[in-house]
Amino acid sequence: MSPASKGRSAAPVTGNAVAIKNFAFSPATLKVKAGTTVTWTNQDTDAHTVTSAGPGGPLHSAALGTHATYTYTFTKPGTYAYLCTIHPFMTSTVEVT
């Protein structure tokens, strides 16, 4: 690993998949382009939700069991903060450009 790449794990990640594991969303910040469909997959044995933080947000999954998935297509640019309503300490963000 080069010195320049150390400590960069907190940087936003591009792609279209979020893993839910060890009571966390990974990556913590996902960057996508408008029109991208993002898929969350629960890899924990406990149920989790993908729910927009604050009123009026677009993300409202049911409780996801182990290996269950939730998808959402982001059509408008913006920053979308979300959390697990069962475990509110689990928070994350999708940045749409």
Side-chain angles (χ1 to χ4, degrees), residues 16-73:
N16 65 349
V18 177
I20 306 170
K21 60 184 176 184
N22 300 321
F23 290 85
F25 296 105
S26 179
T29 301
L30 181 69
K31 280 193 165 189
V32 300
K33 294 196 179 311
T36 300
T37 299
V38 175
T39 300
W40 288 261
T41 303
N42 184 10
Q43 298 175 5
D44 279 343
T45 55
D46 287 58
H48 297 294
T49 70
V50 178
T51 308
S52 291
L59 303 173
H60 299 288
S61 78
L64 303 174
T66 305
H67 304 300
T69 61
Y70 173 70
T71 58
Y72 181 79
T73 302

Side-chain angles (χ1 to χ4, degrees), residues 83-95:
L83 53 83
C84 169
T85 57
I86 302 167
H87 310 99
F89 60 87
M90 294 173 56
T91 61
S92 191
T93 307
V94 176
E95 295 177 2

